[in-house]
Structure formats: structure tokens, C-alpha cells
Amino acid sequence: MDRVSSFDEPLKKLLGGATAKVMAEHLDLHTVGDLLHHYPRRYEERGKLTALADLPLDEHVTVVAQVADARILMFNNGRGKRLEVTLTDGSGRLQLVFFGHGVHKPHKELLPGRQAMFAGKVSVFNRKMQLAHPTYQLLDASDADEATEAVDAFAGRLLPIYPACKQLDSWRIAKAVDAVLPSAQDAVDPLPAALREGRGFTPLPEALLKVHRPQTKADIEDAKARLKWDEAFVLQVALARRRYADTQLPAAARRPVADGLLDAFDAKLPFTLTEGQEKVSKEIFDDLATEHPMHRLLQGEVGSGKTMVALRAMLAVVDAGGQAAMLAPTEVLAQQHHRSITEMMGELAEGGMLGGSDLGTKVVLLTGSMGTAARRHALLDLVTGEAGIVIGTHALIEDKVQFHDLGLVVVDEQHRFGVEQRDALRSKGKQPPHLLVMTATPIPRTVAMTVFGDLETSVLDQLPAGRSPIASHVVPAKDKPHFLARAWERVREEVENGHQAYVVCPRIGDDAEEAEGKKGKAKKKTAEEDPEKRPPLAVLEIADELRKGALAGLSVEVLHGRMHPDEKDDVMRRFAAGDVDVLVATTVIEVGVNVPNATAMVIMDADRFGVSQLHQLRGRVGRGSAPGLCLLVSEAHEASPARARLSAVAATLDGFELSRIDLEQRREGDVLGQAQSGVRSSLRMLTVIDDEEVIAAAREEAVAIVAADPELEHLPELRTVLAALLDKDREEYLDKG
């Protein structure tokens, strides 16, 4: 069998249809190679029992434990039988229950003192952890059945515990792995020999054997070191090739002209740029001056002045005769950007109009909800080149939109924007336009190297002068209701001092939503017992309560995604003008909303938001000279992970520190996100947050290899493995993402 094909062999040929079907449907494993890369999650030592005390609720687990006690109980006047088995492991106890006809076999086998592997879903009954009808395998049985094989197979060894599912236990997966393990010899090794030997790595076939059937703990470490490196390296080679290919594309160099629009803008700025803004602007201008497209990620702390940096880049491109487009994820944000950019530019944004500057250009807005006449006008200004700058939502991507000469695309909030959209806009230039991606969610360096590995990165981590500190506090509404009353008093005090406030809720709470939530009524009772079960607090309800109660007499308005765009714009304008005291909103205000007079924010059900989202929201206050206040209201229990998350947010304003905490809690599945699904599924051993050195070193090696041999002509094995990782869909994901 040739070296690749045994890895490509469908599992059903080796394992039988039923097992292969479950593996395909529930674990996304289709070939021998897939199964060999389905690594154990952890290893049990014979005789060393799992900590039953740490079992996660509602998860499918595998435990090795000893039977302490087993008894049959009758119920339903003797008509029903229940077997209750108590397991122990020194750290805690766990109850197993079997019902009806299912009690006979376990009653004979699960005798006190016996040891076995058990798998099932952890639930709670009568305040006790339990597994109902778990599958199990005896580890010390003496009769010649499957159990003996298990003892022989596992005697004195480390037991691999695989990521499993309800339909397939860990030990059945282990058996399937045994069937395909001989194929590990056919693994194609992607590492160039010099690199492998230089770093002293175990050969790949050996690493696969060691990870699945380790004899010692050193075997596991050996295998992990090798397999992590492979994942990081293959991915970084793919990204390095992408960056190399980008440098081969043609683009028009866009250099700002002396005494042009950019100089005129800089001359009228009422403040000086921060050192960080100067440094990042230089990186961007250097990229724009080259004849291949810029691909740069600008990540900045909330409020670090990214929009100013992006605007100066757009003005430089207009100076050089091109057009610039800024893409925002929502209409509220597009309108906000349009408003703040035209205000910053003043008469420079009125090119060709009476009273406008001779150096000026038109700045147009293009969104889906615009009237036909306004839209037609904006489209005309774009195709003639009259408008140098356009700001819009994904409406900019529609086929009808034609540019005179698109030179720069700025994408705001990458994580909200699909990769396809970014690509579609890129195709609107005569040549590929330069690309600047902005994100206000600080990303740890390794994630940037992995998720945005095809982009060069600039970081703005200084706040402009005049930004005020923000004090953040957790308000435990359930334990200390008087704290919540005090929170509303603080809001009132801010308003009395001439300032304004935001109140953020997770839900809108209108009828359309309630219709979906009818099931909620049946759950009323459990909601009182468990705050997790109650629906999240809603904008409309809270606004109503505040108007009648704690904030009576103040001007309280609502803002949410289901309002008509004109209505939203009107509320935002009045809030910005100071006519509204308190804005009760959903997360539509999360990014880019800039009202310097708003000093206080109360986030209801704060535990329902992610760490980076809370950090984003908090960044809406303290934007002026008065200090900001952010109150995180939660009913979560003091010892819960949710409360720990809130305390972390309250303890620091450093977004990079928070993004690290966020990632540690969520792991990378969510962080790499759907847009990178082609990449994500290839990370099985590597954890982006813990393996910083591995990723950085792999990136360095990858860059050197691609620079020397862009087509990998001298590295056929690496090419083969890359092709398997980057099948067509994934290649496109990397392409666009």
C-alpha cells in the first residue's frame, strides 16, 4: 500500500459500517488518518483513580473507580427495580443507577471492591452526582470475557481516555485505534529532515504510537512535543505561503502628496497624535507606498484612536488619486463613523461643495436602508470618483456598487465580518486594493499569529491624552440587593453632575422574542430556584422599570437592533447632543459609539457576556475628561466561574491581559471562530494560549523555508501534508480570512 493511501483508507473498511458511521456523524472522523489524529484527552494510570470530586455536570465522562456498595431497591409497590451502585476514589463518591431489566448484569458484576471503567453523562439527582445507565468495562474480572482482554491490554499501562460521545465510549475508540495503529508506519512526515534532526524530534510514526499507546509518561511528552510542532509548523507554512503570494500581487503604490489633503487635515487637528499613532501610521504609509497590496491588522486598545489612524491612511490614498472604503459591521456604526469622520474633517469633507475646501473630497455613506434617491446619488459619486471616501455596511459589496479607483479597504471589527465579504470588496479594485483590518478586541500575540497569520500586525496600546480612568465594580444583586439600589443612585448622581449613562441588557424583550420564549412560562418555577434558568434581562422591561422607579424624572430612551434605522439614528443623535440622560441598550453600542459626556455604565446580567465584550462595552465610558464608572450587575454565585470572570474584568483595564484570561477560559475553539474553521479543525494537540514558544518558533522556520522554496519543490512530503490540511474549502478560508 503506498504511503498516503493507507491514511486515506475509509474507516468502514477496517472497522465495520456501524462504528464508522458513528465516528463520522458524531466525531467527524472519516479516514484512518483522522482516527490516528484523534488523540487521547488524558491518560489514567492503573490503580490511580480519577477525582470524582471534579466531575463536570452535563458532560460525557469516563472514570476509573472502585465499587463501594451496591443494592437493589424496589419502588412502585414492588413492581419496579432500581440498582444503586456507589463508586469511590478517595476524592469523592459517585452514584450509578440502573433500572428495570437493565439491573441484572451489573448486579452480578459490580460487586464491592471491583474496579471498572465507567462512561456516561453526569447528572444531579437529589443533590447527588450520578450516572444513569452508564456503560462500563471491568478491569479486574477473572472470567474469560471482554473484561479479561481489557485487563491484559491495560495491565500496568497508561490507559488512554479519548474524547468520546454518547454513542461511542472511550474504550471502544481505543479498540478502533488498535485496529488502525499499524498504519501509523505509513505516516507522511511533513518536517524537512534537517529541521527534525536539528530539533531532536521523534519520527512521526513513533510519535503516533507513543501518543496512543504510551509505556511511560516520558513517551507522552515526547509524542506531544512532536505532534504540537507539526500542527504549528504546517499551519505557519500555509500562512507564510499566503503572505508570500500576496507580495507577488500587483497593487498601485499610494503615496501622500506634500501640501495635500492629509497635510491640510493634520494642520487643523486640535491635538497631537500619540507616539503609538505616529509609529503605526508610519508602518501603514510604508506599506501603502509599495507596489504590492498591504495586508495589515491594526489592533488597538478600546479608545486608542484607531479610527484616527485609519482616516489618515484613507486621506493619504485620496491624495494619491485613489478612493478608500470603510466597512462597518452595523448601520449604527457606519452612521457613527460617517458622522465622526465628517466632523473631524470639517470643510475638507465637502469637496466640490459651496464653502468646501479646494483640497477636500466628498465623504459618502452607503447603507442598505437608504432611500433610493440618496442611494443613487452616493453610487454616482463613487463611480465618477467625486467621493474619495465611502463608509458603509455590507451594502458596499453589492454588484451595483462600482468604484472609480478603489485603493484602500478598511474593515472595522474583523471578528464581526465574514471572510467572503472582505474578499468581494477586494475584487472591486482595478488591481487588488490595500487592506487594513481593525479590531478593538486585543488579541494575544500567538492568536494573532495563528488566526490572522496572513496579516502583518500593528498594535496601538497607548490611550490618547485626555482619556479618563474607568473604575469598574461587580454588583452582586442577589446577595446584596442594596448594592443595586446604590448603583441606580450613582447613575442619578452622574446625571445631576451634567453627565449621561448607559444601561446595557442582553435581550430586547419585545413580542417577537416572547413568542419564541413561550416555553419560558413553564420554567417559571425552576427560574426562581436557579437564576441561570431565568431569561436574561431585557431592554424594554428594564427601561420601563427605571422610568417608573429608580430613575423616575430622568429622560430614559431605548436603543436596539430591531428599531428602524432612522429611529436608531435619531436616538443616537439626541444622546450625543445631551438631550437623553440614560440610554438603555443592547450590545449595539458595543463598538465605536463615542459620546464623551457619557460617564457611567450599568451592565445588567453581566455574567451573560464574554470577557472581551464586557471590555468593549466598558470602553464606551470615560471618553472625555470626567472619570468613567462601570458597574457589572450579576446574580451569579460568588464562587462561580462567571463571577471570577467578572472580577477579572473589574480588576484590570488592560485588554491584552483580559484577552488572555478570556482565551484560557474558553480555549481556542470559540476564539478561532467559524471563519477559521478550516484551520481550527487541524488544531488537535496545540493550544494557542499555552504553546506560544512553539508557534513563534514554527513561524520563524516556516518563513525561512518558504522564502527559500516558495513552491516547496524540494519538500514533497510537506506539500502532501499541506494539501491534506488545506483541501479546497480550507484553502479558500485561509485565502479570504
Side-chain angles (χ1 to χ4, degrees), residues 117 122 126 295 370 543 726:
M117 273 197 291
V122 183
N126 275 347
H295 286 101
M370 279 168 76
L726 299 175

Side-chain angles (χ1 to χ4, degrees), residues 345-359:
M345 286 175 65
E347 75 280 4
L348 295 174
E350 293 162 4
M353 294 185 228
L354 207 57
S357 161
D358 294 344
L359 291 166

Side-chain angles (χ1 to χ4, degrees), residues 496-685:
E496 280 162 8
N497 289 331
H499 298 301
Q500 294 158 278
Y502 297 99
V503 176
V504 182
C505 303
R507 207 165 57 95
I508 299 171
D510 59 11
D511 295 330
E513 237 175 13
E514 302 315 327
E516 289 169 9
K518 282 214 171 114
K519 302 170 199 154
K521 287 188 176 143
K523 289 187 178 167
K524 270 265 160 55
K525 201 166 71 188
T526 49
E528 283 150 28
E529 295 156 20
D530 180 4
E532 288 297 300
K533 298 268 168 54
R534 87 168 155 70
L537 294 170
V539 167
L540 302 177
E541 292 155 16
I542 293 289
D544 212 34
E545 280 174 32
L546 292 175
R547 286 188 192 112
K548 290 175 187 159
L551 302 182
L554 302 186
S555 157
V556 177
E557 292 278 1
V558 300
L559 180 72
H560 57 75
R562 281 214 199 101
M563 287 161 64
H564 187 275
D566 292 347
E567 217 182 328
K568 276 192 262 192
D569 205 34
D570 175 56
V571 171
M572 257 340 283
R573 266 177 206 281
R574 287 188 295 117
F575 187 64
D579 300 338
V580 173
D581 298 324
V582 179
L583 188 63
V584 184
T586 53
T587 52
V588 289
I589 60 148
E590 180 184 349
V591 284
V593 171
N594 185 25
V595 180
N597 191 44
T599 52
M601 175 176 284
V602 181
I603 303 179
M604 308 302 291
D605 275 343
D607 47 281
R608 312 263 180 146
F609 298 98
V611 169
S612 62
Q613 213 174 14
L614 291 169
H615 183 57
Q616 284 293 332
L617 288 165
R618 171 170 63 185
R620 300 307 108 213
V621 295
R623 298 179 82 87
S625 52
L629 172 69
C630 178
L631 302 173
L632 306 166
V633 179
S634 167
E635 291 188 2
H637 190 273
E638 199 170 349
S640 66
R643 272 287 282 281
R645 212 166 57 225
L646 296 183
S647 301
V649 174
T652 178
L653 290 170
D654 179 341
F656 287 91
E657 175 54 30
L658 286 174
S659 68
R660 233 192 136 74
I661 292 167
D662 192 20
L663 195 50
E664 277 166 0
Q665 290 188 338
R666 297 193 296 158
R667 306 316 290 176
E668 41 286 322
D670 306 347
V671 180
L672 298 188
Q674 275 305 297
Q676 296 292 333
S677 63
V679 175
R680 181 179 59 184
S681 51
S682 68
L683 299 187
R684 294 193 166 94
M685 182 67 81

Side-chain angles (χ1 to χ4, degrees), residues 388-403:
I389 295 177
V390 58
I391 295 152
T393 53
H394 52 267
L396 276 179
I397 294 161
E398 290 171 12
D399 293 342
K400 293 192 204 75
V401 182
Q402 298 297 321
F403 290 86

